[in-house]
Amino acid sequence: MAVTIMDHPLIHHKLGIMRRKATSTKEFRDLVSEVAMLICYEATRKLPLTDIEIETPLVKTIAKEIEGKKLCIVPILRAGLHMADGILNLIPNAKVGHVGLYRNEETLEPVEYFCKLPSDAAEREIFVVDPMLATGGSAVAAIDILKKRGITKFHFLCLIAAPEGVDRLTKAHPDIDIYIGNLDERLNENGYILPGLGDAGDRIYGTK
Ligand SMILES: O=P(O)(O)OC[C@H]1O[C@H](OP(=O)(O)OP(=O)(O)O)[C@H](O)[C@@H]1O
Ligand SMILES: O=c1cc[nH]c(=O)[nH]1
Ligand SMILES: [Mg+2]
């Protein structure tokens, strides 16, 4: 298990635009996909490669391709959907599963409402994606759900995390790799990340 905090100028710059309250819904949504792609670049660094023989216009040679290609992206609904869209630009043949969770506004605990996975999900390497890791309740619940369905190989990708969420996720699931766009300061009394960017789902879909 490893926690990787991305420290990259492009990610800092794009998150800075996303955090501004004046940023439009369209711009925010596009940036979710872009930052997800940048984090995915790092999260896929250790994927195993295999040699294959190919022909260039000049000669036969040995090229490399991703071994097995057994990948699956699992966005946590709703806000994870646009991260998945971005990642599919890089890994267009990945399968996609969906886990639907929302936070109860009073208890802050996640409520499950949907789960649909590829039939061979248990054989796949899974990339769970959600822009916000706040209390960590949603990420822990999503991985609980996926583990019950036989999945064993996980990466969790988020744009912004609070230390409280990282702590809860690493304690509940010490076996997964976590990739974080930026580690923010803390949670406020309503469970929102500070400085954060507000409610990611509402900002992606314009629902507030
Ligand atoms: O770490 P936690 O404290 O669980 O909070 C993070 C969760 O909250 C947000 O989803 P939300 O419940 O607002 O649902 P939505 O994506 O449908 O807006 C976010 O996208 C995470 O799933
Ligand atoms: O800051 C937060 C915390 C939870 N969910 C969000 O969308 N934003
Ligand atoms: Mg939301």
Side-chain angles (χ1 to χ4, degrees), residues 78-79 103 192 199-203 207:
R78 295 174 297 169
R103 281 202 317 181
Y192 278 85
D199 187 304
D202 285 340
R203 295 201 63 187
T207 42

Side-chain angles (χ1 to χ4, degrees), residues 14-15 17-18 23-40 78-87 89 129-132 158-159 197 199-201 203-205:
K14 288 175 190 291
L15 287 178
I17 300 171
M18 293 178 71
T23 296
S24 71
T25 299
K26 183 198 176 301
E27 198 179 2
F28 187 91
R29 194 188 293 142
D30 291 345
L31 286 163
V32 169
S33 295
E34 287 175 25
V35 178
M37 282 194 271
L38 293 168
I39 299 173
C40 177
R78 295 174 297 169
L81 277 174
H82 267 274
M83 288 185 73
D85 283 351
I87 293 172
N89 289 321
V129 298
D130 190 328
M132 310 304 277
C158 65
L159 306 189
L197 46 70
D199 187 304
R203 295 201 63 187
I204 291 169
Y205 296 109

Side-chain angles (χ1 to χ4, degrees), residues 1-4 43 46 125-126 128 143 154-157 169 173-179:
M1 188 276 291
V3 178
T4 303
K46 291 186 195 141
E125 194 157 333
I126 305 287
V128 180
I143 293 165
F154 289 97
H155 310 261
F156 179 82
L157 282 62
L169 182 55
H173 296 295
D175 51 325
I176 69 170
D177 287 326
I178 303 171
Y179 297 86

